[in-house]
Amino acid sequence: MRGAGRTRRAALVSTVCAGLVVTGCGGGGEDPDAGTNGVGKLSPAKIQSRTVSVAKAAPAVRLSGSVTSKGHTYKLDMRLKEDGGTGSVTAKGETFRLLRVGENLYLKADAGFWAHDAKAGGGSPADSSAAAKLDGKYVKVPTGDPAYQQLSGFTDKDVLLDGTLTLHGTLTKGDRTTSGAQRVIKLTGDDGAGGTLAVALDGKPYPLRLQRAGGAGTLRLSEWGKDFPLAEPGPAETVDYGKQLPTR
């Protein structure tokens, strides 16, 4: 009788397990993609295609971290959307703020930034004195100024995402892990030598973190779809620089 009872209990357990959607009764491992957005099941190329698609479609994003390009390292903290962006850039030890609304680009920095530019250009004491008037004011960058092309790129969502989402070499799918409080799957180019991108497994498959190829910086992408105010500064907040702006 005892043996028969054990047999009936075993049969009951087997029947229950067979009816469960979630695995694990029989000792097998849980589905690593259960409860996720499902991109972890896709091929590396499809994961990249999907994450690029949702990133480009997002109305806004915050991008922060460091980028090394042509021997220069830039620290960024930019909030971006389709019609412009705002935030800070640090280059060569100096920090300045950028604001772009449509085609209108503005730069704001402290007196030290402008004084350094005057000294570097062999400016006179009068130029250094004028730097004080620029302290904390927005300066409109003319579209024909050489600095416009360089600086406006930091405020352009599509330009920055194109650079951020590019991995080099053969794509492979890495481990499922976490980035902060979010589950992610890693996508690598040439086993990491071509960059590593962490893609969200929760919600939309947004890119959340990029380690650039060749150790050229790490960028975090957050606040996807979160809107923010973007307006041109008023007359009291702006001042005319009066000559070609510096490039950094």
Side-chain angles (χ1 to χ4, degrees):
M1 291 294 295
R2 292 180 181 176
R6 286 195 297 269
T7 300
R8 285 195 296 271
R9 286 195 295 271
L12 178 61
V13 170
S14 177
T15 301
V16 170
C17 285
L20 291 177
V21 175
V22 179
T23 61
C25 283
E30 293 186 358
D31 180 0
D33 294 302
T36 72
N37 53 29
V39 295
K41 298 178 181 180
L42 302 178
S43 68
K46 287 185 177 180
I47 294 175
Q48 185 182 46
S49 176
R50 185 75 59 85
T51 195
V52 168
S53 178
V54 298
K56 291 291 186 72
V61 65
R62 183 173 184 174
L63 191 151
S64 59
S66 62
V67 174
T68 300
S69 176
K70 297 179 181 178
H72 298 293
T73 298
Y74 303 92
K75 292 183 179 180
L76 311 177
D77 189 0
M78 300 296 302
R79 300 183 72 183
L80 310 163
K81 52 186 178 180
E82 294 304 324
D83 56 347
T86 183
S88 65
V89 178
T90 300
K92 300 179 182 178
E94 298 174 347
T95 299
F96 53 92
R97 294 194 63 82
L98 293 172
L99 168 65
R100 184 175 63 83
V101 183
E103 290 188 355
N104 295 330
L105 175 67
Y106 300 87
L107 184 152
K108 181 168 72 172
D110 60 20
F113 175 93
W114 299 111
H116 179 272
D117 174 53
K119 292 176 182 177
S124 66
D127 289 330
S128 296
S129 177
K133 297 179 181 180
L134 301 174
D135 182 32
K137 297 287 187 178
Y138 281 105
V139 173
K140 188 173 183 179
V141 184
T143 55
D145 192 298
Y148 184 92
Q149 189 67 29
Q150 178 188 11
L151 297 175
S152 64
F154 290 118
T155 66
D156 191 310
K157 175 175 173 280
D158 288 338
V159 168
L160 286 181
L161 287 182
D162 283 341
T164 300
L165 303 180
T166 300
L167 298 175
H168 302 281
T170 303
L171 296 180
T172 54
K173 188 166 55 175
D175 296 331
R176 294 166 178 80
T177 180
T178 59
S179 178
Q182 290 187 284
R183 292 179 293 179
V184 300
I185 187 165
K186 290 186 176 181
L187 193 64
T188 65
D190 280 349
D191 294 325
T196 300
L197 186 67
V199 177
L201 286 171
D202 298 310
K204 292 185 178 181
Y206 287 124
L208 300 181
R209 182 182 176 90
L210 171 73
Q211 291 178 291
R212 302 186 74 221
T218 300
L219 292 169
R220 295 174 294 279
L221 300 99
S222 61
E223 299 181 24
W224 285 103
K226 184 177 180 180
D227 197 15
F228 59 92
L230 194 62
E232 296 194 41
E237 301 175 275
T238 60
V239 66
D240 183 12
Y241 184 71
K243 62 178 181 178
Q244 181 176 305
L245 269 69
T247 58
R248 288 293 184 268

